[in-house]
Amino acid sequence: MEGTLYPAFGPEISCPQCRLPIPGLILTETYLCDRHGAFEVDGPTGELVHGQSGRRWRRWQGEWYRQHMHPDGLRFEIHYSLDDAYRLGERVSKIRIAERYRPLLQGCLEQKGQEEHLFGLQVEFGSDESPDWAVVNFQLVKETGRLRRKS
Ligand SMILES: [Zn+2]
């Protein structure tokens, strides 16, 4: 909103690193975490940028989603998420990855016939449904539950 004293995400946000509430500094686009230092709002992209590391996040429904610049970061995130799913006994049938990462992952995917695979699972890009795929990075398609859909 124009004329507001606070940075674009309001007077307070949760730190993308530690999730504690951190204040916006008046008349700046800066949020300051005692533990992690300064985060700046990058106006044109709507992203939050960590001053020290250059890491970037986008926000959707109050959650921060790290925006990956390097394929390894995204692959690690997917790998951890798969580990969690397997630990919970969930069966993952596919990995759906945001379309914007297609160029980044070129060269990391295994070609099997017409399909592309990562960690032994089929990969598809983009989505025709919520959540907001301009922000989130990927979704594990489980064999049962609400993420299921016919292909
Ligand atoms: Zn923090």
Side-chain angles (χ1 to χ4, degrees):
M1 247 194 295
E2 250 179 314
T4 178
L5 292 175
Y6 292 103
F9 293 114
E12 191 179 80
I13 60 171
S14 68
C15 173
Q17 303 270 56
C18 64
R19 291 163 191 266
L20 293 175
I22 61 173
L25 305 184
I26 286 174
L27 298 176
T28 71
E29 287 297 336
T30 303
Y31 292 90
L32 203 54
C33 175
D34 287 344
R35 295 162 68 189
H36 297 106
F39 296 84
E40 298 279 336
V41 180
D42 182 4
T45 63
E47 294 178 349
L48 191 68
V49 185
H50 187 216
Q52 284 164 7
S53 66
R55 290 179 176 182
R56 307 177 81 91
W57 290 264
R58 293 180 190 175
R59 192 165 76 161
W60 186 69
Q61 291 191 344
E63 291 286 323
W64 294 110
Y65 293 85
R66 172 89 185 275
Q67 303 299 305
H68 295 284
M69 319 296 262
H70 193 277
D72 283 347
L74 180 57
R75 287 166 66 204
F76 285 140
E77 196 185 326
I78 293 172
H79 192 256
Y80 289 138
S81 179
L82 281 171
D83 268 358
D84 279 348
Y86 293 145
R87 208 164 353 164
L88 293 169
E90 295 172 331
R91 298 168 65 87
V92 177
S93 59
K94 251 185 230 176
I95 307 168
R96 189 179 299 143
I97 301 175
E99 180 66 35
R100 69 186 185 282
Y101 286 121
R102 190 194 287 271
L104 193 69
L105 288 179
Q106 289 301 317
C108 301
L109 301 176
E110 241 185 291
Q111 202 71 36
K112 286 192 184 171
Q114 300 287 69
E115 297 179 357
E116 293 173 303
H117 285 234
L118 184 66
F119 303 124
L121 290 164
Q122 190 189 340
V123 166
E124 63 182 28
F125 286 96
S127 177
D128 53 5
E129 56 188 284
S130 182
D132 187 344
W133 284 88
V135 175
V136 302
N137 295 332
F138 67 94
Q139 198 175 51
L140 301 180
V141 182
K142 313 280 173 62
E143 291 201 348
T144 54
R146 64 188 175 85
L147 296 182
R148 182 171 184 168
R149 102 189 157 141
K150 294 199 167 77
S151 51

